[in-house]
Amino acid sequence: MADQIQTQVQLASDCVPDCLCVWCDDSGLSIEAQYFCKGCLRYYCENCIDLHSQLFKKHVVLGRADRSEWPIVEVTLGYITQCEQHPEEKIKMFCKDHRKLCCIYCLHSDHRICQQVVRIEDASKVSHTEEDFHELSENILARCEKIDSQHIDMEKQLETLQSSYDETLAEIATFQKKMTNAVERLCQCSTSELKTKFTSINRTCTNEIQLHTELHKRYKRLHKGLQSMQQDSEQLAFILCRKYDELTNETDALYERNDNRGINFRFQPEASMLQLLYELGSLGKIQTYKNNPNQVIKVSDFTTHDISDHPDPDEYPTATIIGICELTCNQFIIADCSNYNAKLLSSSLKVLSRHKFRSRPIQMCNVSARSVAVIFDNGVIQFIRVNNQRITVERIIKFQGACYGIGYHNDDIFVANIRKIYHFDIAGRNKKSKIYVENASKCAVSPDGKTVYVTTNGNWCLTLKKAETLQPPSGEIQLSRPDGVHVTANGQVLVCCRGSREVVQLDSEGKEILARFAVSGIPECVCYSTEKGILLVGLCDSDTLHVYKTT
């Protein structure tokens, strides 16, 4: 049996360092031993052997050249019989209640009231065959290989995590610079306005001062002429009086132009900007995500949540939810094309507030942690923001013709109409690129902004790559009346299929179906919350949201 155990130990030693330095191992360091002390029956590395030799000068130490004399089995078996909780003690008992090996100290501290504590000699009276030990050896080696693999994966994960951290820091710095540039531009506008007004008023006041000086000189000249004029000169008196009248009219007219008298400047700041910054609390939302766009989302049971919020439901049409977006603080905003409105929902999906639209919304997408973009059937895009549970319109962009889909990523806007996908800048003015897509409907953008997914009325979902410009479809897959499309923070692609009444998950290339699950209704839109681990589905002609738990 000892030979058999030695065989298993030798097999197991292939996947780890043969022997570890005992002092380094106690400190959590896996340093391979270079020496064995016959007196201590312990292994030491190059660094620790010096201290050992100073303390125990008479001990016999064997180096790597004498490796054949190292009693590996005895020391290894010593580790096996060593108590994990009290390394200086040997395992003597076995608690059947807790299925725990224990030494005498473990027995007194943790198992005093246990009913089934037996000596290790009695607990070990079980026969083991050679096959049992061979299977155990294979299991140990398999575990070692798995740990090694996990160790390598985690080292790669640390490198990726550090890279992601550095990139995110750079993104925050870039966004801060954009905000600084925006504030500087606003500052320049205010400064320019102040300078323009100052220059204008200053020029007017300077001109008026010059007029005062000129009028004063002309009055002085008239006065001198009056003093030197002879009394019997009627002609000169007449001319002098007429000039005095004209000069008086000019003077009175100057006095009447007193618009610039008493003018000072005062700055009235846009207090709402500071209020918004105080409310935000940070530049944006830090999200964690797994870089695995093809990881399958598995759903379990679902619950329904009423979102009607009408005082008299009979007077309003049943809702058709065409957009769901997650905001900061675990709030959600939904768009209802039947009732022409948007509603803000709490983390428990209770209606907090709503906003009325003048046109019918078609699709909605996230823009920032607190704002979304909504596209309407008349070609209008509204950027709306949530502040203090109030929905307000920030700005509006108008396009020519009907539009059906919208996607957004880092100041890039993608708009879909019946024939083309357009790529605009954030202002919606400068067209960066366009590509022809027949019967284009809804669209969504990947988290890195490099891929645009488009559903069509021709039962297809297309995948478009974006470099400097939009590229022709690199992937396509036929679905049953696909409509709303959503890309999660992890890059997973979800499409609502009205024909088959299901939500399907595609691979990141948009060529294969990874998963699908049926819904009790006609799905219009879907939103996956990675933080809450739930999947929200908006339905056609339904006043309820369906919320699925995910695993």
Side-chain angles (χ1 to χ4, degrees):
M1 180 65 71
D3 294 339
Q4 193 175 43
I5 295 175
Q6 183 175 6
T7 301
Q8 312 308 319
V9 172
Q10 290 172 348
L11 284 172
S13 67
D14 294 337
C15 61
V16 294
D18 292 333
C19 302
L20 297 178
C21 172
V22 63
W23 286 350
C24 291
D25 190 34
D26 289 343
S27 301
L29 302 175
S30 298
I31 306 299
E32 188 171 5
Q34 303 296 325
Y35 300 91
F36 174 74
C37 176
K38 297 181 69 174
C40 300
L41 294 179
R42 291 189 174 188
Y43 297 99
Y44 301 96
C45 66
E46 290 281 1
N47 294 328
C48 296
I49 192 63
D50 293 336
L51 179 60
H52 166 271
S53 298
Q54 294 177 21
L55 297 174
F56 307 101
K57 296 181 179 180
K58 296 183 179 181
H59 285 193
V60 178
V61 175
L62 303 177
R64 299 289 288 186
D66 302 319
R67 180 178 169 77
S68 58
E69 299 182 35
W70 290 12
I72 296 176
V73 171
E74 287 79 356
V75 175
T76 304
L77 291 180
Y79 165 75
I80 292 176
T81 59
Q82 184 181 42
C83 177
E84 295 286 347
Q85 190 173 352
H86 306 94
E88 68 282 359
E89 295 295 324
K90 298 294 184 181
I91 295 171
K92 302 242 177 131
M93 313 293 286
F94 178 70
C95 176
K96 293 184 177 180
D97 293 345
H98 295 98
R99 299 191 60 81
K100 287 283 188 179
L101 297 167
C102 48
C103 68
I104 193 66
Y105 290 111
C106 295
L107 179 64
H108 287 292
S109 61
D110 302 326
H111 304 279
R112 285 185 297 177
I113 62 174
C114 296
Q115 300 296 320
Q116 300 186 66
V117 178
V118 298
R119 294 171 59 84
I120 201 70
E121 292 86 349
D122 298 330
S124 61
K125 291 181 180 178
V126 180
S127 60
H128 294 283
T129 65
E130 185 176 349
E131 291 183 359
D132 294 336
F133 281 98
H134 181 72
E135 181 181 358
L136 178 61
S137 175
E138 289 183 344
N139 290 340
I140 292 173
L141 291 176
R143 291 284 182 175
C144 288
E145 290 178 2
K146 186 173 182 180
I147 289 174
D148 288 342
S149 175
Q150 292 290 324
H151 180 79
I152 294 172
D153 289 344
M154 286 307 300
E155 287 182 338
K156 292 180 179 178
Q157 167 63 21
L158 285 177
E159 294 178 0
T160 303
L161 189 66
Q162 182 66 49
S163 175
S164 175
Y165 173 79
D166 295 338
E167 290 176 2
T168 305
L169 276 181
E171 290 175 358
I172 293 174
T174 300
F175 185 70
Q176 180 187 11
K177 185 176 181 180
K178 287 182 178 180
M179 289 192 64
T180 302
N181 292 339
V183 173
E184 287 180 353
R185 182 182 62 82
L186 295 176
C187 181
Q188 290 173 359
C189 290
S190 297
T191 304
S192 177
E193 181 184 1
L194 175 62
K195 185 176 181 180
T196 301
K197 289 185 176 182
F198 172 78
T199 302
S200 176
I201 297 173
N202 183 69
R203 184 186 301 114
T204 302
C205 292
T206 302
N207 293 338
E208 189 171 327
I209 290 172
Q210 292 176 353
L211 286 174
H212 287 158
T213 303
E214 183 64 27
L215 289 172
H216 187 270
K217 289 180 180 179
R218 291 167 64 184
Y219 277 115
K220 283 290 188 180
R221 290 188 189 128
L222 286 179
H223 186 261
K224 287 182 179 181
L226 179 62
Q227 288 178 336
S228 60
M229 186 180 64
Q230 297 179 1
Q231 294 183 354
D232 57 350
S233 179
E234 295 181 356
Q235 292 181 1
L236 289 176
F238 178 80
I239 293 173
L240 188 145
C241 289
R242 296 290 74 78
K243 283 194 172 184
Y244 174 78
D245 291 341
E246 291 176 3
L247 193 56
T248 302
N249 290 336
E250 290 184 34
T251 305
D252 291 342
L254 180 60
Y255 290 161
E256 289 176 0
R257 297 198 305 267
N258 59 356
D259 295 340
N260 297 321
R261 301 291 174 86
I263 288 182
N264 294 299
F265 293 108
R266 182 179 63 191
F267 176 60
Q268 184 177 358
E270 191 64 50
S272 59
M273 293 179 60
L274 285 176
Q275 182 64 29
L276 174 60
L277 292 176
Y278 289 140
E279 290 175 357
L280 290 177
S282 68
L283 288 180
K285 187 177 182 180
I286 303 298
Q287 293 179 319
T288 57
Y289 68 94
K290 296 181 179 179
N291 190 21
N292 184 7
N294 297 327
Q295 181 180 6
V296 174
I297 299 175
K298 299 178 181 179
V299 300
S300 56
D301 57 323
F302 74 94
T303 56
T304 60
H305 298 263
D306 183 21
I307 44 87
S308 58
D309 188 40
H310 294 310
D312 188 356
D314 295 335
E315 295 184 4
Y316 294 87
T318 306
T320 294
I321 306 303
I322 53 86
I324 306 172
C325 292
E326 185 178 15
L327 304 176
T328 187
C329 301
N330 292 323
Q331 293 179 336
F332 297 88
I333 187 170
I334 62 175
D336 177 4
C337 71
S338 295
N339 293 282
Y340 290 47
N341 65 23
K343 294 178 182 177
L344 179 65
L345 308 182
S346 66
S347 58
S348 58
L349 303 179
K350 301 295 183 183
V351 178
L352 299 176
S353 61
R354 53 181 168 174
H355 176 80
K356 186 69 176 178
F357 297 129
R358 294 183 178 180
S359 304
R360 187 166 70 95
I362 301 297
Q363 192 184 7
M364 181 171 65
C365 68
N366 280 96
V367 172
S368 69
R370 289 176 178 263
S371 62
V372 298
V374 184
I375 194 163
F376 299 85
D377 56 359
N378 59 358
V380 169
I381 296 178
Q382 287 189 14
F383 290 83
I384 60 179
R385 172 173 288 277
V386 175
N387 285 324
N388 292 330
Q389 299 186 5
R390 291 180 62 249
I391 302 173
T392 58
V393 178
E394 285 187 311
R395 60 192 180 91
I396 297 175
I397 299 176
K398 172 67 177 175
F399 295 101
Q400 295 296 326
C403 299
Y404 303 103
I406 183 170
Y408 180 90
H409 180 268
N410 281 3
D411 295 346
D412 287 330
I413 302 175
F414 300 89
V415 177
N417 68 11
I418 196 65
R419 295 184 181 277
K420 295 182 178 70
I421 304 295
Y422 294 97
H423 175 204
F424 293 93
D425 64 1
I426 184 61
R429 292 189 297 266
N430 299 322
K431 188 185 301 179
K432 296 185 175 181
S433 63
K434 65 179 179 180
I435 192 167
Y436 180 79
V437 175
E438 186 177 0
N439 296 319
S441 179
K442 307 294 176 60
C443 64
V445 190
S446 62
D448 59 8
K450 297 180 180 179
T451 309
V452 180
Y453 302 93
V454 183
T455 58
T456 74
N457 293 326
N459 293 331
W460 292 92
C461 181
L462 308 178
T463 302
L464 311 178
K465 296 296 183 180
K466 182 186 79 68
E468 293 299 324
T469 61
L470 285 170
Q471 306 297 310
S474 61
E476 60 180 15
I477 187 168
Q478 191 169 18
L479 302 171
S480 179
R481 294 175 61 198
D483 193 40
V485 56
H486 170 68
V487 185
T488 73
N490 296 336
Q492 297 140 306
V493 184
L494 300 172
V495 182
C496 295
C497 296
R498 293 168 56 89
S500 56
R501 297 195 174 194
E502 62 182 356
V503 175
V504 302
Q505 180 181 348
L506 306 181
D507 70 318
S508 60
E509 298 300 319
K511 298 179 180 179
E512 297 181 10
I513 295 178
L514 301 179
R516 61 205 315 161
F517 66 93
V519 296
S520 55
I522 300 176
E524 291 279 352
C525 61
V526 61
C527 175
Y528 178 59
S529 171
T530 54
E531 290 192 6
K532 295 177 71 68
I534 57 176
L535 194 71
L536 296 85
V537 180
L539 305 174
C540 175
D541 197 24
S542 174
D543 282 329
T544 60
L545 277 180
H546 287 196
V547 180
Y548 295 80
K549 293 181 179 179
T550 64
T551 56

